[in-house]
Amino acid sequence: MFLALMAAATLSVGAGAARAEDGYDLWLRYRPVDGAAAVGEVTVLGDSPTLRAARAELERGLAGLRGGAPASTRAALLAGTAASPQIAALKLPLQGMGAEGYVIRSLQVDGRPTTVIAANSEVGVLYGAFHVLRLVQTRQPIGKLDIAAKPAVKLRVLNHWDNLDRSVERGYAGQSIWDWWKLPDYKDPRYVDYARANASLGINGSVLNNVNAKADSLTQPYLEKAAAVAEVLRPYGIKVYLSARFSAPKEIGGLPTADPLDPAVRAWWKAKADEIYRTIPDFGGFLVKANSEGQPGPQDYGRSHADGANMLGEALAPHGGVVMWRAFVYSHEQPEDRIKQAWSEFTPLDGKFARNVIVQVKNGPLDFQPREPFHPLFGAMPKTPLMMEFQITKEYLGFATHLVYQGPLWEEVLQADTWRGGKGSTVAKVVAAGAPGEGLTGMAGVANIGADRNWSGSHFDQANWYAFGRLAWDPNLSAAAIADEWIRMTFSNDPALVKPVGDMMAASRETMVDYMTPLGLHHIMGRSHHYGPGPWVAGGERADWTSVYYHRASPEGIGFDRMATGSNAVAQYAPQAGKALSADERFLLWFHRVPWDHRVASGRTLWDELVVRYSRGVDGVKAMRRTWAAMAPHVDAERHAEVAAYLAVQEREAQWWRDACIAYFQTFSKRPLPAGYAPPPHPVEWYEALSFPYAPGI
Amino acid sequence: MFLALMAAATLSVGAGAARAEDGYDLWLRYRPVDGAAAVGEVTVLGDSPTLRAARAELERGLAGLRGGAPASTRAALLAGTAASPQIAALKLPLQGMGAEGYVIRSLQVDGRPTTVIAANSEVGVLYGAFHVLRLVQTRQPIGKLDIAAKPAVKLRVLNHWDNLDRSVERGYAGQSIWDWWKLPDYKDPRYVDYARANASLGINGSVLNNVNAKADSLTQPYLEKAAAVAEVLRPYGIKVYLSARFSAPKEIGGLPTADPLDPAVRAWWKAKADEIYRTIPDFGGFLVKANSEGQPGPQDYGRSHADGANMLGEALAPHGGVVMWRAFVYSHEQPEDRIKQAWSEFTPLDGKFARNVIVQVKNGPLDFQPREPFHPLFGAMPKTPLMMEFQITKEYLGFATHLVYQGPLWEEVLQADTWRGGKGSTVAKVVAAGAPGEGLTGMAGVANIGADRNWSGSHFDQANWYAFGRLAWDPNLSAAAIADEWIRMTFSNDPALVKPVGDMMAASRETMVDYMTPLGLHHIMGRSHHYGPGPWVAGGERADWTSVYYHRASPEGIGFDRMATGSNAVAQYAPQAGKALSADERFLLWFHRVPWDHRVASGRTLWDELVVRYSRGVDGVKAMRRTWAAMAPHVDAERHAEVAAYLAVQEREAQWWRDACIAYFQTFSKRPLPAGYAPPPHPVEWYEALSFPYAPGI
């Protein structure tokens, strides 16, 4: 039996064609670990596409983890829903576990030690199966399990900013994985692996197309394409959503207006919703970017965001669909501090949204910067469910070639205290609580997934996809614990690797802040492509797309005064939260305009501290390279080489950020660098003259 | 040993992660075949990157082909160059084999039956190694080999129409495999597999960027990226070339002109060539598209193609580089029949090109249509070396989702008789002969390679890459023999598969001609994207980009009169060739304008025959689907499903071509369909109204 298994494995891949470790397997790598055989024989009760997926995953996973050894016949794994008499007989506490939770217990069943996975629904069984696999993959003991888990929020959704021509806005992992051209005729087997990876994290929704949407995505041919994707994802508990272009009634409906209060427009959307549900019976709903960065919206007709969102909600409601309405709005006709505008527009609408509408808010009030304070809306709309929007793809964080683990960034936001209901009202709690009553809750992540073989453009960017999914399930998980799991599943359980790589990941975000935007600086990257430093960016279409608007450097000092003396954006927070944030040196130049000689906590002047931090960022990348070089004995050659190559890019670009920013800001500070710090090798004009016409992701 | 090997294979891939047959392995699949063990132990004499590649390929290939069984110790394989004493001692006839040829002989060496691969150069050894592997893969007897092979032409080159933003013009296989953004820092391991696949065919050059070139590709950062690719390809005997934008001296050189007779321009190109060779010491040279479809060129300054080409040739000559100057030129200011223009512009320049310039001519005088007569330049420039340009990517042949094997198309062209030097002066001979003296010879193929996992966008399109490479090595190979090899290497040697799939491939091109452009029709596809039928395309920027320009349908008849009564394009051929082509019914509407009631060879009227042919094309695709369905037991599930899905697309689109073209042409013929032929289900307006805004490859 052992030999037969090995022979089969050998034949199936061909001895001459053993595949390299190319990252395709993600964290579902299932390489042999000690103890896997102890799980025993698998029985999944019942039969359905979802239960078959659970069974297949357990068999595939455990076979890989056992490394060809047979399962123990003395132990067993039993999985099923409460509808199965065998599970019901175990009387497990499933009442409170909802439609997606599960219980995992170590029990004696028919005289054998048995790992039982029980759930109210089939997808709960699937989630439980992935949980057991994760325990085995990470070498947790499985003999005395007593686990009950359910997701903190209802909607755990990836937002694909994928265009119908298969380009991906802010994508750094190749083309869209959605091959629209060949859909619905051809369903790439890769879609199944996408579904498996997401289900392993509990992600239950996927918005297939870019928020900067084309109306074509709502035409019948494209609905059929989306339906084909939905068919593949369905067994894995993942619903398909679409970004809806607000002006679609004009563009593909032939109407003269898209006014949300116009009866013909309302009728058009109702009919469109009916058509969608005929094509995709379990369609999730719409994501909408309206009246933002040139997108059409209800304000084009003098209507509010609530008018627009509620009209769509009304069309979807009979079918159980939801509207995720983005709060990322700002207008260049509006002279107000850009970061204040979403609060100004949305807080008056608190409580005015329909029951099936949720407002989707980016983690910070600007735009996915290396560091921002949490978005003040999280403390300001108690009657409205707010969905978190994180950006998994690294638009502002060095694209795919910088190693930046975002777990700490997201943890920092989720654990920030809004004081909305008094001390301890963390963003995580606000998001999980939703609005009073039984409304929606959710978390969205802008996907970093593309057609690249390794899915995310780099091996370590897989960790960001992983961390998003884990936090969407439980926003109170620690970034460090998530990284630890991911490292073990993706690379190995060898402590010689787990600890140093975990430390490297933990430090990576702060290192990136240091070499890009220390001390509260923000939005000083290259124009349009957002690649590399661009603190000199000025002029052009709109002031709030420039760097000088945000850093305001002059011979007198630097920073954006957002206190009462300035834009007073700080007043959008609860007083205690505003006080904490504005006193935090990490946000110094976000909230304050300070002279170059201002003394910071270290005792240094602001100027000296800036130089020190930028330099520390470069040193941090050098340390990462050293750590990774030492991992060579513990990582396969192919993945080690790719990561090493990217770290070399990152070091060069960190140095470039440091040198360009110091050269630029020095033209205002007119101060020397502190002793021991090398001056930039070129004058600022040299950095300004660099151009990158073929940067990806635009 | 046997068990140890199997265990190693098992561990290296993980029992739970056996990879599907996704086509990545191409024809280098190396699955077990009978007889592989008989090859014996491998010895490759000497050590160098190329010899290591040969050794690695033999070891990898034979290990796979043996299926884990050990090599016979009673036999041996010995490979090396004539520089090795052991090879020299065998006194094999290597004198005439040139720098790339090889000899393979079955000999007794040291008392053992030995397969000897000998060559004058290391790359010859590599080519010979692939030859032996091909013999084993296709189950040829290897006991009594006596082979001497060398390439018919010097330059065997892929043209990548790949842009610097990683899009591919007329590419249907995903993004460019050249990840310019991450080069030169990161060299995707895939580049090695690209090199292996090409070397297995004898392809020895790769033009990395689009003929519609950006000058940026000649800047130092991009030269360094090209150098990184060159470094990977070098051991495999493949040189890197670049498409050069003729106006580069203005765009990146800061000169006011790109006039090829201007001394500053000439000096700029000389300096640029020197810079390139400092970066890429074995750089191959330039491919140039000049004064064609809006590209800059010497005619912008009143100079000839020869002036332009020779200037570049002069810059490259000291380094041994060559210029491939495309003859695909036409101008919309020129009222002459478009297909005549290249002949008119180039024949006066015969003999005027520098020694290191070769003129690259598309197979036909229009543009890679389903069927065209051979290009008249092949019979008309005896003093100039002419390089064949085939289009492997299927711009006009249904993109990646139509199964069209191009072997028969290319064979038809190569075996056509130009009568240049009397009867029997086939295009193949003209191309292989070059110009008098020891000038250049070559064949180029516009690549169908992209980042898609299966490389070419579909499994069967791999056969077109394969066939191009094989024909570039030996233009007199038969399309059927090439298909037979490819099927065996790619799928299996099972006769239950080889014969029917071979027949299907052989018929596929004629089937496609039938459902797209029967009886000599041409250029009646959709505008711009070239997807689907568009016989109604009229108006717009230029007449010769419309369909009506070419088919000239009216109530009186259809076809383009290119006889003496019309444009007299036929006179560009030798009289005997022109007579043969114009009398060939396959080119009827290419050369003649005929009334709808004209009787064709079948006895039917032209109109009836058109309907019959279009319908026969659809039937042909139905037959392909039946054939493929019957192959299910003989092909792995993943590849079988993909091909089946694409064939379904092809049938639907063949039907669409038939119906749309019949509906359109019937508005002129005003005749009923012959009995038994179903009328199109929609009026012509329905077909005209279809639009495809996100078609790939533009």
Side-chain angles (χ1 to χ4, degrees), chain B residues 477-642:
Chain B
L477 286 175
S478 86
I482 294 170
D484 184 84
E485 283 174 9
W486 177 81
I487 294 165
R488 292 170 183 275
M489 295 160 82
T490 305
F491 289 109
S492 110
N493 282 291
D494 185 344
L497 178 136
V498 174
K499 174 73 168 61
V501 172
D503 291 347
M504 177 177 82
M505 289 172 70
S508 64
R509 186 266 181 140
E510 205 64 40
T511 289
M512 179 269 302
V513 170
D514 277 341
Y515 66 71
M516 285 188 181
T517 54
L519 292 167
L521 284 170
H522 49 284
H523 203 296
I524 58 169
M525 67 289 157
R527 197 198 292 268
S528 172
H529 48 56
H530 300 167
Y531 172 65
W536 45 78
V537 169
E541 206 174 334
R542 41 195 299 171
D544 57 4
W545 282 357
T546 69
S547 299
V548 297
Y549 175 90
Y550 295 101
H551 65 64
R552 312 204 160 196
S554 77
E556 289 71 42
I558 182 171
F560 197 130
D561 183 2
R562 293 191 168 110
M563 305 304 288
T565 46
S567 79
N568 206 21
V570 70
Q572 292 183 338
Y573 294 97
Q576 303 91 330
K579 197 171 164 196
L581 290 170
S582 61
D584 187 334
E585 198 168 270
R586 297 178 304 175
F587 299 116
L588 179 64
L589 303 178
W590 180 282
F591 283 109
H592 307 277
R593 182 164 171 71
V594 293
W596 295 104
D597 286 335
H598 172 80
R599 291 281 159 188
V600 298
S602 66
R604 298 188 193 97
T605 65
L606 173 74
W607 168 247
D608 284 359
E609 185 71 14
L610 262 185
V611 175
V612 168
R613 299 264 181 136
Y614 269 117
S615 308
R616 190 172 75 185
V618 178
D619 291 341
V621 182
K622 288 180 176 159
M624 288 162 71
R625 289 189 74 182
R626 283 193 300 273
T627 298
W628 188 251
M631 293 302 106
H634 310 297
V635 180
D636 54 280
E638 181 161 337
R639 287 191 295 174
H640 191 271
E642 184 185 302

Side-chain angles (χ1 to χ4, degrees), chain A residues 174-175 185-186 216 652 694, chain B residues 174-175 185 216 642 652 694:
Chain A
Q175 287 184 299
D185 303 283
Y186 178 62
D216 300 278
R652 190 179 65 229
Y694 307 103
Chain B
Q175 289 183 298
D185 304 283
D216 300 279
E642 184 185 302
R652 190 177 66 230
Y694 307 102

Side-chain angles (χ1 to χ4, degrees), chain A residues 187-207:
Chain A
K187 287 176 270 193
D188 191 330
R190 185 165 192 160
Y191 304 157
V192 174
D193 292 323
Y194 168 92
R196 290 175 50 236
N198 282 316
S200 79
L201 305 172
I203 288 171
N204 67 0
S206 187
V207 185

Side-chain angles (χ1 to χ4, degrees), chain B residues 23 28 36 112 153 229 238 282 349 366 408 451 461 566 658:
Chain B
L28 305 176
R112 282 201 299 185
V153 299
V229 175
I238 302 167
D282 58 347
L349 302 173
L366 183 48
D461 277 327
R658 177 223 182 249

